[in-house]
Amino acid sequence: MTKPAILVARKIFPATIAALEQHFEVESNQDDASWSKAELIARLQGKVGAFTTGSERIDAELLTACPQLRICANMAVGYNNFDIDAMSAAGVLATNAPDVLTETTADFGFALLMATARRISESEHFLRAGLWKKWSYDMFAGAEIHGSTLGIIGMGRIGQGIAKRGAHGFGMNVIYHNRSQLDAATEADCKARFVSKEELLKTADHVVLVVPYSAASHHTIGAAELALMQPTATLVNIARGGIVDDAALAVALRDGRIAAAGLDVFEGEPKVHPDLLTVPNVVLTPHIASATVATRTAMAQLAADNLIGFLIQNKPLTPINAAQVASK
Ligand code: DGY
């Protein structure tokens, strides 16, 4: 019996390819070539499934051109590369990779917060450049972490993980803003208090963004929000590019409107706003919040298991639009 054909759109662990090959005819991209949309469409011809990574845009144009496609399995918890309405209309299942990356990403959010507040990158660059000639009392004096106020915007699983690290590990006073207030038990577990976005921006010493990207969350932080923050405050974005207006942030950092920022995600990444590259008080990392070997392996496995679960066993593990697709 011929196996169903699928496409793996980016380079991935050889073990993941091997697991998929047990069930499917697999065309993969182990050279990690940058495919244009036209090339992606061409390679998807005859494929019923796609393993995607968040870099591939799945929209109405692509879906119309790939009528055999039945599922796109994203190796990411975020899925703003998917036009879910178009996928549902086309009867194409979308899956993502939640949970397996929660703690690792929360670890990274906290690491980026600490690196930003304690000026770790800036001071390392200074040292490597041979500029350290003598100790001085105020050299790279940053902001306190323990006992300070941590404001989290977006209190899903990862936001809660960061809240717990802050409250239980560092004695931080945790406030949060979210579309809806958490239940009392979860708030108690996180030792977190729900506040308005405005109160959070005005009072937090450190603001961490973990909100999913959508049209509604575009530029959650722009010039007006940066103006509300304290001049000593830090801002960390591990959510998605586009949640922060990067141009406005570069101005705020340059003018000392806020003290520092840590960014793992960027508008239009992998391009980075050129002004962010010229300000010293920002820590920049290339979208690596979930990047440990164990977690990336688990994310790849979950995406593969979604393809196998749906196409072979008719039971995807973490579907996004199952109800809409079932009603087609
Ligand atoms: C995610 O899973 O959404 C991470 O940002 C990696 O893309």
Side-chain angles (χ1 to χ4, degrees):
M1 208 177 77
T2 54
K3 296 176 183 168
I6 65 159
L7 181 71
V8 179
R10 294 292 308 277
K11 183 178 181 186
I12 195 59
F13 300 102
T16 310
I17 302 278
L20 289 167
E21 280 173 343
Q22 290 182 20
H23 304 275
F24 306 115
E25 286 302 327
V26 180
E27 178 178 345
S28 60
N29 182 8
Q30 290 302 81
D31 293 336
D32 216 16
S34 296
W35 291 339
S36 64
K37 187 167 195 185
E39 189 159 11
L40 180 60
I41 288 174
R43 290 180 185 274
L44 279 170
Q45 296 311 302
K47 309 290 193 308
V48 291
F51 182 117
T52 55
T53 62
S55 321
E56 295 73 45
R57 176 97 191 120
I58 306 297
D59 58 12
E61 182 195 353
L62 179 143
L63 294 163
T64 305
C66 305
Q68 283 165 300
L69 196 59
R70 294 182 52 217
I71 172 173
C72 294
N74 229 22
M75 184 192 146
V77 65
Y79 49 86
N80 53 305
N81 57 315
F82 288 170
D83 180 335
I84 294 294
D85 290 343
M87 292 178 77
S88 299
V92 174
L93 188 77
T95 66
N96 67 338
D99 302 323
V100 291
L101 79 182
T102 300
E103 298 303 330
T104 300
T105 305
D107 283 348
F108 186 87
F110 217 86
L112 193 52
L113 164 59
M114 296 201 62
T116 303
R118 298 302 308 271
R119 306 176 66 179
I120 288 178
S121 294
E122 206 184 336
S123 60
E124 189 191 353
H125 288 140
F126 169 88
L127 183 151
R128 284 181 187 272
L131 298 171
W132 187 24
K133 303 296 180 208
K134 60 179 182 208
W135 180 90
S136 86
Y137 77 99
D138 60 350
M139 196 166 61
F140 297 106
E144 215 68 88
I145 302 282
H146 72 273
S148 64
T149 296
L150 171 61
I152 301 173
I153 299 185
M155 199 65 157
R157 290 162 287 216
I158 298 169
Q160 290 173 32
I162 293 171
K164 286 179 199 158
R165 281 158 178 77
H168 300 295
F170 292 82
M172 296 172 94
N173 164 37
V174 180
I175 54 178
Y176 75 97
H177 184 71
N178 199 42
R179 258 177 317 183
S180 48
Q181 185 168 359
L182 301 177
D183 60 71
T186 310
E187 283 190 341
D189 203 24
C190 297
K191 286 195 173 178
R193 187 169 58 85
F194 183 77
V195 295
S196 69
K197 181 176 157 190
E198 187 175 339
E199 181 181 343
L200 185 145
L201 291 169
K202 281 182 171 165
T203 58
D205 297 304
H206 309 287
V207 175
V208 179
L209 304 170
V210 212
V211 70
Y213 183 80
S214 67
S217 63
H218 182 74
H219 287 185
T220 294
I221 302 292
E225 290 75 19
L226 290 161
L228 291 176
M229 291 174 67
Q230 307 185 59
T232 49
T234 61
L235 175 73
V236 169
N237 184 10
I238 58 164
R240 273 291 181 272
I243 299 287
V244 174
D245 177 344
D246 285 350
L249 175 61
V251 171
L253 290 166
R254 190 198 59 209
D255 295 351
R257 228 351 276 139
I258 66 168
L263 306 174
D264 187 48
V265 287
F266 305 87
E267 286 190 284
E269 64 185 51
K271 289 201 185 104
V272 175
H273 193 291
D275 294 353
L276 287 172
L277 298 172
T278 62
V279 283
N281 47 343
V282 59
V283 182
L284 307 168
T285 53
H287 202 147
I288 57 167
S290 63
T292 65
V293 177
T295 292
R296 286 281 163 89
T297 303
M299 291 165 72
Q301 187 63 48
L302 182 50
D305 286 345
N306 270 310
L307 287 164
I308 298 164
F310 179 63
L311 291 170
I312 308 294
Q313 295 145 356
N314 201 23
K315 208 170 180 303
L317 275 69
T318 50
I320 297 161
N321 60 343
Q324 294 89 323
V325 169
S327 70
K328 284 292 297 171

